Amino acid sequence: MGFYDAFKDALSVAQKADNVELYRQLLDLSAQALDLQEENVRLKSENAELRKAKDLEARIIRHTELYITLKEDPDDLYYCAHCWDIDRRLVQLSCDNSDGTFICPHCHTTGIFNYGKFQSTQNEISEMGPYCF
């Protein structure tokens, strides 16, 4: 017999005994039990979200530039370290593979994710001279 069934039986007994005060107290107890049940559901949900965030945080790999990656990510995606630090939000960076730079579409943080490509692009620009544009 569950809590609800036991409580229902107790209410029935109190009503049959014509004990108004006991019946009133049981109704108050019922309201408190419902409040506790709602709080329990809320706390379980909050606990699950906190566990999920903690598990995600354990997967974060920080880099010298303002991007982060996730351990065991098959896609090897780059995320904004600034957005993660401020909002605990994973925002995928827009990476320009031609020059090795990135920009966050949310906070507009920029940086370099591939120094080899970036340096190569800078060398090409400097070889063109100052009036090539």
Side-chain angles (χ1 to χ4, degrees), residues 27-105:
L27 285 175
D28 288 344
L29 184 61
S30 173
Q32 290 175 11
L34 282 173
D35 289 344
L36 288 173
Q37 188 175 12
E38 289 174 6
E39 183 178 9
N40 188 23
V41 168
R42 182 186 59 78
L43 290 172
K44 283 182 178 182
S45 174
E46 184 179 312
N47 187 23
E49 287 185 30
L50 288 171
R51 285 178 189 260
K52 184 178 174 183
K54 185 178 177 184
D55 291 344
L56 181 60
E57 186 153 359
R59 293 182 57 209
I60 300 265
I61 301 170
R62 293 197 172 268
H63 301 272
T64 54
E65 279 292 328
L66 289 174
Y67 69 87
I68 57 177
T69 55
L70 298 177
K71 291 178 190 170
E72 302 170 6
D73 181 6
D75 297 324
D76 197 28
L77 299 174
Y78 294 84
Y79 300 96
C80 180
H82 180 263
C83 289
W84 174 255
D85 290 340
I86 299 300
D87 298 329
R88 290 296 189 247
R89 178 187 301 185
L90 285 179
V91 178
Q92 188 176 344
L93 297 171
S94 297
C95 298
D96 185 346
N97 284 321
S98 65
D99 68 0
T101 62
F102 66 81
I103 185 167
C104 175

